[in-house]
């Protein structure tokens, strides 16, 4: 059955309302502040440990909701609660302002990781909140974290935590796609609210784009690699060097599409669309549908046990990227992929009875048992971000259709 963009738009609005209500009703911690994200299907908390990534992502989401739809008191309270919880409990001030990865319900440190994504989501959240309120201290926090990440990623400072890379650098070192792609998206968020630093944001975005295409994109192999050697070498002798994460590449593609549109750079757009096409064609499970989590670019067995599972977030990113590509090109190829992903997600991920999406499906589309709606890595971020972005793009596309 063919679904119109108008019908899809209505579903998006209803799904967003269900998603937001799910987290407000079940996740917010009225005692200690912040958000719980380990929630089962019905929204019951099954672990009170708190993900620092999710404090920042939740704060960004509710600040963004206010920016896009108008301020609501409950949304502001949620954003402010997560921002304050991070400020009070999630920063290791004794070790250079690096942030923890997980803390207890009342904010006691549990785990520090070498990655700086906690700092990235903290910066995003503070920047979005600054754009909403104009409170300078939040822009200052965002800028400090933004610069810290840049310095760490480029070896300009030693990691204050003393944590080294995953592997012994003298034996093997390289580059990770996550570093430039996430920083590119972070840059777009800060640039939107902080025009005074536009030159810095533009220069760093240019470097991120260059790093992605110079080192990770392999057009001759029709893939974009997660890990490469220092000069972009294909490290084919071990599994990590052959990994493709289709969802990650597709997410990266819409970050790049936004940059190409901002720059009116047709070549960058075409290169990015090629990246998207390679990832979605390779990642789609031709037997059961949905996007596979990991692939080996040479068709060898992936190391990760979860490689053939279906996770919520690659499908979120796929729907954003597909609709963005269709909006830019008008090419039905991208609309067909959007509708294909939409049908799969409505059938397998969406749960209108309780709201939110299942996070983790087996390859055949059945939820893992017992099913969950949130975890250390899943909270109010990918799904509401997708729904907000689809809402805006569908509004634009349906108006264009009406005026045609």
């Amino acid at each position: 059955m063919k679904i119109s963009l108008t019908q899809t738009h209505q579903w998006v609005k209803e799904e967003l309302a269900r998603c937001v209500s799910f987290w407000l009703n079940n996740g917010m911690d009225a005692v200690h502040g912040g958000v719980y994200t380990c929630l089962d299907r019905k929204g019951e908390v099954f672990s009170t440990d708190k993900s620092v990534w999710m404090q920042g992502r939740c704060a960004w989401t509710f600040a963004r909701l206010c920016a896009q739809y108008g301020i609501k008191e409950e949304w502001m309270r949620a954003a402010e609660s997560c921002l304050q919880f991070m400020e009070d409990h999630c920063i290791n001030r004794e070790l250079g302002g690096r942030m923890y990865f997980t803390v207890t319900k009342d904010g006691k440190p549990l785990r520090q990781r070498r990655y700086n994504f906690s700092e990235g989501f903290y910066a995003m959240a503070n920047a979005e909140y600054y754009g909403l309120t104009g409170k300078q201290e939040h822009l200052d926090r965002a800028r400090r974290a933004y610069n810290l990440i840049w310095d760490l990623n480029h070896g300009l400072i030693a990691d204050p935590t003393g944590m080294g890379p995953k592997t012994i650098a003298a034996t093997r070192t390289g580059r990770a796609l996550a570093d430039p792609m996430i920083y590119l998206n972070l840059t777009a968020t800060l640039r939107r609210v902080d025009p005074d630093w536009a030159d810095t944001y533009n220069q760093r975005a240019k470097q991120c784009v260059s790093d992605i295409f110079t080192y990770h994109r392999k057009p001759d192999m029709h893939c974009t690699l997660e890990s490469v050697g220092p000069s972009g070498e294909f490290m084919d002798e071990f599994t990590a060097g052959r990994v493709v994460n289709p969802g990650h590449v597709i997410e990266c593609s819409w970050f790049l599409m936004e940059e190409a549109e901002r720059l009116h750079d047709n070549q960058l757009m075409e290169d990015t669309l090629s990246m998207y096409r390679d990832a979605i064609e390779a990642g789609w499970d031709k037997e059961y549908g949905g996007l596979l989590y990991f692939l080996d670019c040479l068709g060898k067995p992936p190391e990760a046990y979860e490689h053939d599972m279906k996770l919520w977030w690659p499908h979120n990113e796929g729907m954003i990227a597909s609709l963005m590509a269709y909006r830019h090109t008008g090419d039905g190829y991208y609309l067909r992929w959007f509708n294909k992903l939409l049908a799969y997600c409505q059938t397998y991920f969406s749960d209108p009875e309780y709201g939110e999406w299942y996070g983790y499906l087996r390859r055949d589309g059945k939820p893992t048992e017992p099913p969950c709606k949130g975890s250390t890595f899943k909270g109010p971020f990918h799904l509401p971000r997708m729904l907000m972005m689809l809402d805006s793009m569908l509004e634009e596309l349906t108006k264009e259709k009406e005026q045609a």
Side-chain angles (χ1 to χ4, degrees), residues 116 175 202 221 224 269 326 334 344 347-348 362 398:
N116 51 45
R175 296 172 175 272
N202 292 341
M221 298 169 62
T224 305
M269 179 61 76
Y326 173 68
Y334 301 106
Y344 183 87
T347 301
Y348 295 106
R362 304 184 319 189
T398 51

Side-chain angles (χ1 to χ4, degrees), residues 46 89 124 202 288 358 386 400:
F46 62 85
H89 303 294
M124 282 180 66
N202 292 341
Y288 292 102
Y358 299 111
M386 179 200 80
E400 288 176 359

Side-chain angles (χ1 to χ4, degrees), residues 185-213:
N185 182 243
L186 174 58
T187 297
T189 301
L190 269 77
R191 179 170 48 213
R192 175 164 45 80
V193 302
D194 184 20
D196 290 346
W197 272 30
D199 288 345
T200 296
Y201 299 135
N202 292 341
Q203 289 168 10
R204 292 185 182 177
K206 184 177 180 180
Q207 186 62 56
C208 290
V209 172
S210 176
D211 287 350
I212 291 164
F213 281 99

Side-chain angles (χ1 to χ4, degrees), residues 27-190:
M28 305 312 301
D29 181 354
V31 177
H32 304 288
V35 64
Y36 295 120
T37 55
C38 292
L39 305 183
D40 68 10
R41 183 192 176 197
K42 296 181 180 180
E44 294 181 4
V45 176
F46 62 85
S47 173
T48 59
D49 290 346
K50 287 176 178 169
S51 163
V52 177
W53 289 16
M54 288 304 135
Q55 306 309 307
R57 285 171 158 180
C58 180
W60 177 86
T61 294
F62 282 100
R64 186 63 201 155
L65 281 164
C66 289
Q68 187 162 330
Y69 299 106
I71 291 175
K72 289 187 178 181
E73 186 178 345
E74 60 183 351
W75 294 351
M76 285 292 284
R77 280 200 308 267
E80 290 167 352
S81 177
C82 291
L83 285 166
Q84 194 60 51
F85 187 85
M86 284 192 293
E87 210 61 33
D88 291 344
H89 303 294
C90 299
I91 302 172
N92 190 340
R93 302 186 192 281
E94 295 179 359
L95 294 179
R98 289 299 314 274
M99 297 184 72
Y100 300 113
F101 176 65
T102 53
V103 297
T104 63
K105 64 181 180 182
D106 54 353
K108 293 183 179 66
L110 277 176
R111 189 176 176 195
Q112 184 110 41
R113 294 183 76 179
R114 60 179 59 82
Y115 311 114
N116 51 45
F117 300 122
S118 290
E119 291 84 350
F121 301 126
Y122 169 87
M124 282 180 66
N126 276 284
E128 196 67 55
Y129 187 75
Y130 165 75
L132 190 64
T133 65
K135 293 182 178 180
Q136 183 66 35
E137 65 265 34
H138 291 278
L139 179 59
D140 294 341
R141 293 169 185 172
R143 286 174 170 177
R144 280 197 299 270
Y146 180 77
N147 281 333
L148 175 61
I149 297 165
W150 180 264
D151 291 346
L152 288 167
N153 283 352
H154 291 83
L156 301 177
I157 60 171
D159 187 344
T161 68
M163 292 185 177
K166 273 186 177 181
T167 55
I168 295 172
T171 304
R172 182 181 297 155
T173 188
R175 296 172 175 272
L177 176 62
D179 291 339
M181 67 166 278
I182 297 299
Y183 202 79
L184 178 61
N185 182 243
L186 174 58
T187 297
T189 301
L190 269 77

Side-chain angles (χ1 to χ4, degrees), residues 167 171-174 225 227-229 233-243 296-298 300-301 303:
T167 55
T171 304
R172 182 181 297 155
T173 188
L225 295 170
S227 300
V228 293
E233 302 95 328
F234 175 38
M235 301 183 290
D236 62 337
E237 294 182 353
F238 54 97
T239 56
R242 301 192 301 266
V243 168
D296 184 296
C297 69
L298 297 183
K300 299 179 188 237
E303 183 176 40

